Each structure stands twice: as structure tokens, then as C-alpha cells.
Amino acid sequence: MTNDDRQQDPSSGANTLDIAARSPEFLCNAVALTTDGAMFLGLPRWTGMRDTPSVVRVDGDGALRPFPGGAWNDWAFGKPVDDAIVQVSALHVFGDDTLWVVDQGAPDGKATLPGAQKVLQFDAHSGALLRALRFGADVLPEGARLNDLRIQGSRVILTDAGLGALVVHDLATGHTLRRLEAHPLLLQSEVQPLRGSGRRVLVDADGGRLRLGCTFLEISPDGEWLYFSTPTGPFRRVPTALLCDASVDDDAVAAAIEDVATVPSFYGSAMDSRGNLYLANAEQRCIEVVAPTGRRAVLAVDERLVGPVAPFITRERRLLVPATQGELLPECDGGHNGIERPFLVLSMALPESVDGIVLGDALMPVTSAPA
């Protein structure tokens, strides 16, 4: 993949989006599907949404059922955090059809509660807990906030959006590496403010700009490259083997990082089996595709894509994307609350190609370490 600064006209996106799910009350920031079509939504405990069940399964009639049930879904301030989902930041279903949940542990987007950050793996059918990854202060120091994850072999790789870092955990050995903390390449650029539909967003009630570290990541289909970005880009990549090698220091890892593509202000990414990047473009309310050659195209544009986040490609080659409306929340819009319920998850069937870019299938890696 090479640098390409060309801009696309969103009006060229001819594909339309359908509504795949509705959340009547709570903002949705993640979606994932199993092989048999079971859909899961992440409903984070953001300001004004403390009563959320955090994770739900969408029933056939569209109703939302708390998953996995019990104490996992009914956390409230003052309750234990060990066996509860406090603040969901990401959901994933990979090749083994289990559900992975990243719990950021920071309700209301404020302080991370001690012991609340964790990564959980559930049986998607029974709801049984298969694995819980919990990290000490050496891996998640004060200010760290887990955001997203990908899997390669026995490794789980995560982003820390709080301080800006990458975390590599080996399920087979139990060893964990924390990489590149607060490195400039993992911190949000100050060049441009985040914008949505032509106006500033991610501005708090006092006019201060909200800042995030490294948030998004992808692993190439051959596993050789880890791609990562902050919400203002650019997308960068680093050799996966180098990142995961404990004998290589951070300076050497940083020296191997390459710029891949400039990106708009965006809230999430996906990658298909051909190595195409899918970007949830918050500025122009569209989904863009960046091919390994650097060629860019607009896949779809829709005014309902307000705060689009975390695209997910299903095995049936459907693209799902939640429209969070996050940029309209008071803490992101200068104190003004502009959200409109219900919250939507939008969907489209992937065409074979878009503007000369051949599109692939879902990437469904399977961990080599049994649960």
C-alpha cells in the first residue's frame, strides 16, 4: 500500500445502505455477527446512558436481549467490576465464532475504574465465559484505555487510546508486551480539528478539543503487517514480527513504521481478504475503500452515517456499520445534545468491485491457542 492524497467526491458513492438493527434507547458503538447470523451490539455506558446492558444479542424480531446475561449486563456504580461489562469499546467475532469483548472500564468516558479494564471471550451461543484477560499496571498504567483488538495466531493485539500504545498478548505463553507508549506516531495529530458534516466536533463544553491516542488497527491477510491509526490518521503500518519480538526495542520498532495512507477524520476501520482498508469517514458521512495500491474509492454515502464507527464484514460479504451519533453528544459538541433516537446499524452487500478496486471477503482469523 502506498501514500495517496487524492480526495474522493462522496457523490460518486452509488451504493445504498439498509437498516440492519435499531437500538431504541442506547448508543451503539460496535456490531459483530456469527456464522449463523447471530448479531451482537455494543451499547457503551456513555454520559446519559448508564442503564445500558452493555452488550446485547439482536433477536429475530429486532428485540435486544442482554448478553451473556446476569451480572455481566447490570453493572452500576458501586458494584464489583470483575465479572461485569463496565464500558464496552469493541466487539468482534473471528473465525472460531466466539464473541470477543473489550471492556475499557471507563464509564461516562471519565476515569478508568481499578480492575475494570479487561478482554473477554464468550461462547456466542451459551454465553459461557471462555477467557478473561486482565492486565496489571505494567501493561495498563494510569491513563491507559483499551480500545480495539485483532487476533493473529496465538497473539491478541490491542490499541491503547488513552496514552497511545500497542499491546501484544500471547495466549500460548501468557507473555504481554507494551509497545511505543506516547510515541508521536501513535498520538493524534494537531494539524486538523475533527469535523463532521462541515463543522467542528469532539469539542467539550469548555471548548477544549478531545484527544485520543492510537485507536484503530488491522492485520494484513498474510499476517505480515500491523496497520494502525488515530482518528485523524494517517494510517501507518509496522512489521508484525518485529512488533511482537521482545528482543527488539521500541526505537527499532518505530524506525520500521511506514506511512500508508492519509485518512479523513474517521471513527473506525475494517480490512478484507484482499487487504483493502474500509474507513468510516466522519467528515463526509461515507465509507471509503483504500486498496493496497493506494487507489481510493467511495463505497457508499449516507447522511445517516453520523459518527460511523467500527465497520464489520460478515462471511456473507455484508458490511455493517453503527452510526453512533457520537459527535452530537454534549461532551463532544460543546455541551449541546443533538442526538436523535433510535440509534442505527446500517448495512450493505459488498459489490465485487468499486471504481476499479476488487473487493474481498471477510478476514476471519482463528487463534491457535484454545480457550
Side-chain angles (χ1 to χ4, degrees):
M1 206 176 273
T2 59
N3 287 304
D4 190 326
D5 295 335
R6 289 173 294 170
Q7 298 298 310
Q8 295 291 324
D9 178 1
S11 65
S12 66
N15 299 296
T16 59
L17 293 166
D18 301 318
I19 296 175
R22 293 176 173 87
S23 176
E25 184 64 24
F26 302 110
L27 180 153
C28 175
N29 71 341
V31 61
L33 258 72
T34 61
T35 302
D36 60 3
M39 181 184 294
F40 298 89
L41 306 180
L43 310 179
R45 194 167 273 106
W46 289 1
T47 302
M49 301 184 188
R50 289 187 174 183
D51 295 331
T52 172
S54 295
V55 177
V56 296
R57 178 169 174 161
V58 182
D59 287 340
D61 60 359
L64 308 183
R65 178 163 51 90
F67 183 90
W72 287 108
N73 300 107
D74 66 2
W75 183 85
F77 283 88
K79 288 187 174 183
V81 300
D82 288 348
D83 299 319
I85 303 170
V86 176
Q87 171 71 345
V88 60
S89 64
L91 297 181
H92 283 286
V93 171
F94 298 112
D96 60 3
D97 241 14
T98 62
L99 180 70
W100 291 78
V101 180
V102 179
D103 185 353
Q104 197 173 76
D108 293 345
K110 301 188 187 303
T112 299
L113 301 180
Q117 290 200 81
K118 50 192 171 288
V119 177
L120 306 168
Q121 183 188 17
F122 292 101
D123 184 302
H125 297 285
S126 69
L129 180 67
L130 303 177
R131 181 184 277 116
L133 304 178
R134 309 175 195 271
F135 304 105
D138 57 328
V139 175
L140 297 178
E142 184 176 355
R145 289 195 182 184
L146 294 176
N147 191 76
D148 208 352
L149 87 161
R150 294 294 185 270
I151 286 177
Q152 186 215 24
S154 65
R155 300 187 187 103
V156 175
I157 305 179
L158 302 114
T159 53
D160 170 5
L163 300 176
L166 292 165
V167 174
V168 180
H169 177 75
D170 193 317
L171 296 170
T173 66
H175 187 257
T176 307
L177 284 174
R178 181 174 175 83
R179 287 296 206 179
L180 301 167
E181 180 178 321
H183 192 283
L185 296 179
L186 275 73
L187 295 176
Q188 186 171 301
S189 168
E190 298 186 23
V191 173
Q192 62 177 8
L194 292 177
R195 299 182 67 84
S197 192
R199 62 187 184 83
R200 289 189 72 201
V201 295
L202 295 193
V203 179
D204 63 24
D206 297 323
R209 182 182 172 205
L210 303 180
R211 297 182 58 79
L212 296 170
C214 179
T215 43
F216 313 116
L217 77 165
E218 304 295 340
I219 298 176
S220 62
D222 59 11
E224 291 187 5
W225 295 95
L226 178 96
Y227 294 80
F228 64 91
S229 180
T230 71
T232 52
F235 244 99
R236 297 182 167 104
R237 70 178 188 177
V238 64
T240 310
L242 200 67
L243 179 77
C244 299
D245 188 344
S247 68
V248 179
D249 64 24
D250 276 4
D251 288 341
V253 173
I257 292 174
E258 302 175 1
D259 282 5
V260 171
T262 58
V263 296
S265 297
F266 78 115
Y267 297 155
S269 64
M271 181 171 277
D272 69 20
S273 61
R274 288 182 172 269
N276 298 309
L277 274 170
Y278 296 72
L279 306 178
N281 183 330
E283 292 185 25
Q284 297 173 308
R285 296 186 177 173
C286 68
I287 305 298
E288 286 189 278
V289 179
V290 183
T293 60
R295 184 181 179 91
R296 304 175 77 114
V298 173
L299 179 64
V301 60
D302 194 309
E303 283 302 308
R304 296 172 297 177
L305 285 170
V306 182
V309 69
F312 181 88
I313 301 172
T314 74
R315 288 173 173 83
E316 291 73 34
R317 298 187 76 254
R318 291 198 68 86
L319 181 74
L320 303 176
V321 57
T324 67
Q325 299 186 56
E327 67 187 55
L328 303 180
L329 290 168
E331 61 266 39
C332 299
D333 196 18
H336 173 70
N337 188 350
I339 62 171
E340 295 182 2
R341 292 173 169 85
F343 297 94
L344 303 178
V345 177
L346 301 175
S347 170
M348 64 173 289
L350 288 180
E352 291 304 312
S353 64
V354 56
D355 289 350
I357 300 174
V358 178
L359 304 182
D361 300 325
L363 271 178
M364 288 292 173
V366 179
T367 174
S368 60

